[in-house]
Short mmCIF file of all heavy atoms in Angstrom, two decimals:
data_model
loop_
_atom_site.label_atom_id
_atom_site.label_comp_id
_atom_site.label_asym_id
_atom_site.label_seq_id
_atom_site.Cartn_x
_atom_site.Cartn_y
_atom_site.Cartn_z
N SER A 1118 14.44 76.23 209.24
CA SER A 1118 13.63 77.21 209.98
C SER A 1118 14.47 78.39 210.44
O SER A 1118 15.63 78.20 210.84
CB SER A 1118 12.97 76.56 211.20
OG SER A 1118 12.25 77.50 211.95
N PHE A 1119 13.88 79.60 210.34
CA PHE A 1119 14.42 80.78 211.01
C PHE A 1119 13.64 80.92 212.31
O PHE A 1119 12.41 80.78 212.35
CB PHE A 1119 14.21 82.05 210.16
CG PHE A 1119 15.26 82.25 209.12
CD1 PHE A 1119 15.16 81.67 207.87
CD2 PHE A 1119 16.36 83.05 209.40
CE1 PHE A 1119 16.13 81.87 206.91
CE2 PHE A 1119 17.34 83.26 208.44
CZ PHE A 1119 17.23 82.66 207.20
N TYR A 1120 14.31 81.25 213.39
CA TYR A 1120 13.63 81.41 214.67
C TYR A 1120 14.45 82.33 215.56
O TYR A 1120 15.62 82.60 215.30
CB TYR A 1120 13.39 80.07 215.36
CG TYR A 1120 14.62 79.19 215.50
CD1 TYR A 1120 15.41 79.26 216.64
CD2 TYR A 1120 14.98 78.27 214.50
CE1 TYR A 1120 16.53 78.46 216.78
CE2 TYR A 1120 16.10 77.47 214.63
CZ TYR A 1120 16.87 77.57 215.78
OH TYR A 1120 17.98 76.78 215.91
N MET A 1121 13.78 82.79 216.63
CA MET A 1121 14.46 83.72 217.54
C MET A 1121 13.97 83.49 218.97
O MET A 1121 12.78 83.32 219.22
CB MET A 1121 14.20 85.17 217.14
CG MET A 1121 14.94 86.18 217.99
SD MET A 1121 14.82 87.86 217.33
CE MET A 1121 15.71 88.77 218.60
N GLY A 1122 14.93 83.49 219.87
CA GLY A 1122 14.63 83.42 221.29
C GLY A 1122 14.92 84.76 221.95
O GLY A 1122 15.90 85.41 221.59
N PHE A 1123 14.13 85.15 222.89
CA PHE A 1123 14.27 86.46 223.50
C PHE A 1123 14.79 86.35 224.93
O PHE A 1123 14.72 85.29 225.56
CB PHE A 1123 12.92 87.19 223.49
CG PHE A 1123 12.48 87.55 222.09
CD1 PHE A 1123 11.75 86.63 221.33
CD2 PHE A 1123 12.78 88.78 221.55
CE1 PHE A 1123 11.33 86.96 220.05
CE2 PHE A 1123 12.36 89.12 220.27
CZ PHE A 1123 11.64 88.20 219.51
N GLU A 1124 15.29 87.46 225.37
CA GLU A 1124 15.92 87.50 226.68
C GLU A 1124 14.89 87.24 227.80
O GLU A 1124 15.26 86.78 228.88
CB GLU A 1124 16.60 88.86 226.89
CG GLU A 1124 17.47 88.95 228.12
CD GLU A 1124 18.67 88.00 228.08
OE1 GLU A 1124 19.04 87.51 226.97
OE2 GLU A 1124 19.24 87.72 229.14
N ASP A 1125 13.63 87.51 227.50
CA ASP A 1125 12.61 87.24 228.52
C ASP A 1125 12.15 85.80 228.51
O ASP A 1125 11.26 85.39 229.27
CB ASP A 1125 11.41 88.18 228.35
CG ASP A 1125 10.74 88.02 226.98
OD1 ASP A 1125 11.16 87.12 226.19
OD2 ASP A 1125 9.82 88.79 226.68
N GLY A 1126 12.72 84.97 227.57
CA GLY A 1126 12.43 83.55 227.55
C GLY A 1126 11.43 83.10 226.51
O GLY A 1126 11.33 81.89 226.25
N HIS A 1127 10.70 84.03 225.88
CA HIS A 1127 9.73 83.56 224.90
C HIS A 1127 10.42 83.29 223.56
O HIS A 1127 11.57 83.68 223.34
CB HIS A 1127 8.55 84.55 224.77
CG HIS A 1127 8.86 85.76 223.97
ND1 HIS A 1127 9.56 86.84 224.46
CD2 HIS A 1127 8.53 86.07 222.66
CE1 HIS A 1127 9.66 87.76 223.53
NE2 HIS A 1127 9.03 87.32 222.42
N TYR A 1128 9.71 82.66 222.62
CA TYR A 1128 10.34 82.08 221.43
C TYR A 1128 9.39 82.24 220.24
O TYR A 1128 8.18 82.01 220.37
CB TYR A 1128 10.62 80.60 221.69
CG TYR A 1128 11.11 79.81 220.50
CD1 TYR A 1128 12.43 79.81 220.14
CD2 TYR A 1128 10.20 79.03 219.78
CE1 TYR A 1128 12.87 79.05 219.07
CE2 TYR A 1128 10.63 78.27 218.70
CZ TYR A 1128 11.98 78.28 218.34
OH TYR A 1128 12.41 77.54 217.28
N LEU A 1129 9.97 82.61 219.05
CA LEU A 1129 9.21 82.72 217.81
C LEU A 1129 9.85 81.80 216.78
O LEU A 1129 11.08 81.82 216.61
CB LEU A 1129 9.20 84.16 217.29
CG LEU A 1129 8.50 85.21 218.17
CD1 LEU A 1129 8.65 86.59 217.56
CD2 LEU A 1129 7.03 84.85 218.36
N ASP A 1130 9.04 81.03 216.04
CA ASP A 1130 9.55 80.05 215.07
C ASP A 1130 8.91 80.29 213.72
O ASP A 1130 7.67 80.34 213.61
CB ASP A 1130 9.26 78.64 215.56
CG ASP A 1130 9.98 77.59 214.74
OD1 ASP A 1130 9.60 77.34 213.58
OD2 ASP A 1130 10.98 77.03 215.26
N GLY A 1131 9.75 80.44 212.68
CA GLY A 1131 9.24 80.68 211.34
C GLY A 1131 8.57 79.47 210.73
O GLY A 1131 7.86 79.59 209.73
N GLU A 1132 8.81 78.30 211.26
CA GLU A 1132 8.20 77.07 210.76
C GLU A 1132 6.83 76.84 211.39
O GLU A 1132 6.09 75.93 210.98
CB GLU A 1132 9.14 75.90 211.05
CG GLU A 1132 8.87 74.68 210.22
CD GLU A 1132 9.90 73.57 210.47
OE1 GLU A 1132 10.61 73.63 211.50
OE2 GLU A 1132 9.99 72.65 209.63
N GLY A 1133 6.49 77.65 212.40
CA GLY A 1133 5.21 77.52 213.07
C GLY A 1133 5.22 76.57 214.24
O GLY A 1133 4.16 76.25 214.79
#
Side-chain angles (χ1 to χ4, degrees):
S1118 177
F1119 276 87
Y1120 52 91
M1121 183 171 177
F1123 292 87
E1124 189 64 18
D1125 60 4
H1127 78 280
Y1128 173 83
L1129 296 177
D1130 191 287
E1132 199 176 17

